[in-house]
Amino acid sequence: MLVRQRYDLDRTVRLVINCVLFVALIWLINTLKDVLLPFCVGCLIAYLFEPFVQFNRRLLNLKGRILATFITLSEMVFIFLLICFFIIPMVMNEATQMAHMLKTYATSELHIPFVPESFHEFLRKHVDFNFIASKLTREEWTKMIEDGLSASWSVITSSISLIIGLLSWVIVFLYVIFIMIDYEKISAGFRRMVMPKYRHIVFKIGRDVKTSMNQYFRGQALVSFIVGVLFSIGFLIIGLPLAIVLGMFIGLLNMVPYLQLISLVPTTLICIVSSVSGDVSFWMLFWEAMLVYIVVQAIQDLYLTPKIIGKAMSMNPALIFLSLSIWGTLLGFIGLIIAIPITTLLMAYYDEYIIQPHERKRERLERNSQE
C-alpha cells in the first residue's frame, strides 16, 4: 500500500497560496496581454533567428552581436522580398487559372466514374463557385491591394487606433532588434535574478523549456516549411492548380501533427474542379496527388523528423487541440505561442515526479512482499 503525505495545516496553507498566486499570475498576464504581446512576439522572432545570428558570427568571424544582428535581419528581409518577387506572380497566375476552372465547373456537365452526379449537384447548390472565381481573378487581387492601401491611408489620417496598431508592429521590430543584440546578456540576466537556493530546480526547468521550445518552434517550424515546399513542388510537377498555395497551407497545418489530413478535402475538390478542362481525368490527378502525399509523408517521417527534431513530442493530437484551446482562451495569442511546449513540459514533470515515484514504490513493495 502506498504511503501518502498528510495534508497538515502548514502544507494546506502553502498549497492554497501557490494556487492563488498561479491564478493571480494568469489574471495579470490576461490583463496585460495587449502590452505583452509585442514583447512576446519579439522574443519569439529573436529566438527563431538566434541560430542564424550565431552562424553569421562564426562565418564572418565577428566578435560582437550588433553587426551579426543587422546582417541577419537584412538576410531575412532580402529572402522575404525574393520569395515575394518570384512566388506572388506564380500564385496570381494559379488563382486566375483556378477562377476560370471554377466558372466552367459551375456551368458545365461533368461525369466522373464512380462519382454520382448528385454529388456535383450538391456542390453546385451549396457552394457559390462564381463568387469564389470572382475573388481569384487578377483584377480582384489588384483592386483589393489598391483598396487596402487607400483605406489604410484614409483611416490613418482619421483614426488613432490604427496608428497605435501600426506602432505596435514598429515596437515588435524594435523588440526584435534589441533582444537579438543583447540576447546573451538578457539570458544571463534572467539567470542572475533567480535566488541561489532555487537555481538548481529553476535552471533544470529552464533547460527543459528550452529543449521543448527547440523541438516545437525551431524544429517543427523548419520541418513544416520544408514539407510545405515539398508539397508545392510535387503539386507543380503533377500540374495541380493552386499548387503553391495548397502546398504551403499543408505545411502550415503540419505545425500540429496529423492536422495536415484536413487538407485532403480541398485537394480532392481541386482535383474535381480541375478535371473539367478535359486534359486529365479526375482519378489520375487524384491518385497522383495521393502519391505526392505518400512520398512527402515518407520523407518527413523517415528523414526530416528524426534528423531535425529527433525524438518527436509524444502528445496525442486530441491533447494538442485541447492545450491550444485552453491556453489560447486563457492568454490569447500568447497562450497559443506557449501552449504545446508548456503542456509537453507539464506532462513530462507529471510523469517524472508523480507517476514514476509511485511506480517505483509499488515495485519495491511488490519485491518486499515476495521476499
Side-chain angles (χ1 to χ4, degrees):
M1 184 177 179
L2 297 178
V3 178
R4 298 180 179 272
Q5 293 183 346
R6 295 182 58 187
Y7 281 89
D8 53 14
L9 180 60
D10 180 64
R11 190 180 180 199
T12 303
V13 169
R14 284 190 282 115
L15 181 61
V16 171
I17 292 175
N18 289 333
C19 292
V20 171
L21 290 176
F22 178 76
V23 173
L25 179 62
I26 296 295
W27 173 84
L28 182 63
I29 295 176
N30 186 57
T31 303
L32 300 176
K33 61 183 179 182
D34 293 335
V35 178
L36 294 176
L37 182 58
F39 177 75
C40 291
V41 173
C43 289
L44 178 60
I45 296 175
Y47 178 78
L48 293 174
F49 287 174
E50 178 61 18
F52 299 101
V53 175
Q54 296 298 337
F55 174 78
N56 286 325
R57 290 182 65 183
R58 293 192 299 269
L59 180 65
L60 302 175
N61 196 21
L62 302 174
K63 295 182 179 179
R65 292 181 55 91
I66 297 178
L67 186 57
T69 296
F70 283 100
I71 290 176
T72 302
L73 291 175
S74 301
E75 291 171 348
M76 296 303 165
V77 172
F78 175 75
I79 292 173
F80 175 76
L81 295 177
L82 192 64
I83 292 175
C84 291
F85 179 78
F86 287 104
I87 296 299
I88 290 180
M90 296 177 63
V91 172
M92 294 182 68
N93 290 331
E94 289 182 347
T96 303
Q97 179 186 6
M98 191 65 189
H100 175 71
M101 291 182 180
L102 287 172
K103 290 180 180 179
T104 306
Y105 178 76
T107 57
S108 63
E109 294 289 335
L110 183 64
H111 300 284
I112 299 177
F114 309 108
V115 178
E117 182 62 28
S118 58
F119 178 74
H120 302 298
E121 294 177 356
F122 175 83
L123 289 179
R124 295 188 182 102
K125 180 179 179 181
H126 293 87
V127 180
D128 191 349
F129 289 101
N130 290 320
F131 175 78
I132 297 175
S134 66
K135 297 299 180 182
L136 292 177
T137 59
R138 184 183 298 270
E139 294 77 11
E140 185 66 24
W141 281 56
T142 305
K143 183 175 179 297
M144 288 173 59
I145 295 174
E146 292 176 352
D147 292 345
L149 292 175
S150 61
S152 299
W153 177 252
S154 62
V155 174
I156 287 174
T157 57
S158 60
S159 174
I160 192 66
S161 60
L162 186 58
I163 296 178
I164 296 176
L166 295 174
L167 182 61
S168 19
W169 286 107
V170 176
I171 293 174
V172 169
F173 184 71
L174 294 176
Y175 274 138
V176 171
I177 294 176
F178 295 144
I179 294 173
M180 289 178 67
I181 291 176
D182 292 329
Y183 188 87
E184 296 173 348
K185 292 181 180 179
I186 293 174
S187 301
F190 279 125
R191 288 194 292 268
R192 286 195 297 269
M193 290 173 61
V194 182
M195 298 177 63
K197 63 178 181 179
Y198 297 121
R199 285 182 179 176
H200 176 72
I201 183 64
V202 171
F203 289 173
K204 181 180 183 302
I205 295 175
R207 288 191 297 269
D208 293 338
V209 170
K210 183 178 180 181
T211 301
S212 180
M213 293 279 284
N214 285 339
Q215 282 186 329
Y216 181 65
F217 285 115
R218 288 180 181 167
Q220 191 65 30
L222 181 57
V223 169
S224 299
F225 176 75
I226 296 175
V227 166
V229 172
L230 292 176
F231 269 109
S232 299
I233 294 174
F235 291 153
L236 285 172
I237 292 174
I238 67 175
L240 189 70
L242 293 179
I244 298 176
V245 175
L246 181 61
M248 298 311 296
F249 174 68
I250 297 174
L252 180 63
L253 292 177
N254 201 68
M255 285 295 293
V256 178
Y258 308 108
L259 190 62
Q260 66 267 29
L261 296 177
I262 297 176
S263 64
L264 289 173
V265 176
T267 302
T268 304
L269 293 178
I270 291 176
C271 290
I272 292 175
V273 173
S274 62
S275 62
V276 299
S277 62
D279 297 333
V280 63
S281 66
F282 162 76
W283 288 110
M284 180 179 293
L285 188 60
F286 175 78
W287 289 119
E288 287 176 349
M290 293 304 102
L291 180 62
V292 173
Y293 271 89
I294 294 172
V295 171
V296 174
Q297 192 66 44
I299 294 174
Q300 177 183 353
D301 293 339
L302 299 178
Y303 184 79
L304 294 178
T305 299
K307 291 291 184 180
I308 296 176
I309 299 180
K311 185 180 179 181
M313 302 174 73
S314 56
M315 282 185 66
N316 186 280
L319 289 179
I320 293 177
F321 295 137
L322 180 62
S323 65
L324 290 173
S325 301
I326 292 176
W327 289 101
T329 302
L330 290 176
L331 303 177
F333 186 75
I334 298 176
L336 295 177
I337 293 177
I338 66 172
I340 295 181
I342 295 300
T343 303
T344 305
L345 187 65
L346 292 176
M347 292 176 60
Y349 282 164
Y350 179 80
D351 180 72
E352 181 177 355
Y353 293 108
I354 297 180
I355 300 299
Q356 292 184 12
H358 281 240
E359 291 180 350
R360 287 194 292 266
K361 287 182 180 179
R362 185 175 60 186
E363 291 174 356
R364 286 199 302 268
L365 290 174
E366 290 177 353
R367 286 197 301 267
N368 293 335
S369 62
Q370 292 176 357
E371 293 176 356

